[in-house]
Amino acid sequence: MGADPPSQGPQGRGTGTVDNVLGEVHSAMSQMRDNMKQMAERDAQINNLVSSTQNLQGASSAFHQNARQLQASYQWQQCRLYLVVTTLCTWIPVFFFRFRWLKWWAPLSLALVGTVFFLRDCLMRRREMRYSAAVQKQGYSYSPELQQTVGTIF
């Protein structure tokens, strides 16, 4: 009845159990700090991934628009060729069979072709203004390199 067990300290608590509990608490705190560091690193990686995804989306949109513009440009080039060839082909019979008509047919056909070119140019400017306004309204911000690339293509 008189002697304390060897595992108890002066206040009647076991020093071995307190040390074990403190060790587990420190271990748990250390693990929580490591987990918080890993979460912060993951958050930074996710933010980088989101930023890269947004840049890729912008580049993809610009590529799609440029592809459509390139296709339209190619189609217009073909159309111009067909218009000029057709105009010249109509001049040949007029020149050989109705030479008198050539003095009014040539200016008239050139005026029609010029009108088609002018109208197409006006429509393209209008389309460009609408596209630029829509891009600014939606707040897309492309990188300066991408804007320079897009600007140099056309």
Side-chain angles (χ1 to χ4, degrees):
M1 189 170 165
D4 289 333
S7 65
Q8 291 187 355
Q11 295 163 345
R13 286 188 247 154
T15 56
T17 6
V18 171
D19 290 339
N20 287 341
V21 170
L22 285 176
E24 288 179 14
V25 168
H26 287 300
S27 174
M29 292 289 285
S30 175
Q31 184 66 34
M32 284 176 37
R33 284 188 196 109
D34 290 342
N35 288 344
M36 290 176 71
K37 286 179 187 176
Q38 288 176 353
M39 284 176 49
E41 290 173 1
R42 285 185 191 136
D43 186 46
Q45 289 174 350
I46 287 173
N47 288 338
N48 287 339
L49 185 60
V50 166
S51 175
S52 297
T53 302
Q54 288 173 344
N55 288 341
L56 184 60
Q57 175 65 32
S60 172
S61 296
F63 178 78
H64 177 71
Q65 181 65 25
N66 287 336
R68 290 183 63 185
Q69 287 178 349
L70 184 61
Q71 182 182 16
S73 174
Y74 178 71
Q75 287 175 345
W76 174 239
Q77 188 176 17
Q78 282 184 326
C79 185
R80 279 190 311 205
L81 176 68
Y82 293 149
L83 281 171
V84 169
V85 167
T86 303
T87 302
L88 292 177
C89 286
T90 61
W91 287 8
I92 292 172
V94 170
F95 181 77
F96 286 116
F97 299 113
R98 301 284 186 193
F99 189 75
R100 293 178 293 148
W101 292 1
L102 191 60
K103 63 182 173 188
W104 63 268
W105 181 252
L108 180 65
S109 62
L110 288 176
L112 286 173
V113 169
T115 303
V116 169
F117 287 169
F118 177 74
L119 289 175
R120 201 265 181 190
D121 188 48
C122 289
L123 290 174
M124 290 306 295
R125 284 188 197 156
R126 184 176 175 195
R127 181 186 205 185
E128 176 77 24
M129 288 173 43
R130 283 185 177 178
Y131 177 72
S132 297
V135 166
Q136 289 174 356
K137 184 178 179 182
Q138 290 178 354
Y140 288 128
S141 59
Y142 299 126
S143 66
E145 298 163 349
L146 184 61
Q147 288 177 351
Q148 183 180 7
T149 303
V150 171
T152 57
I153 290 176
F154 298 100

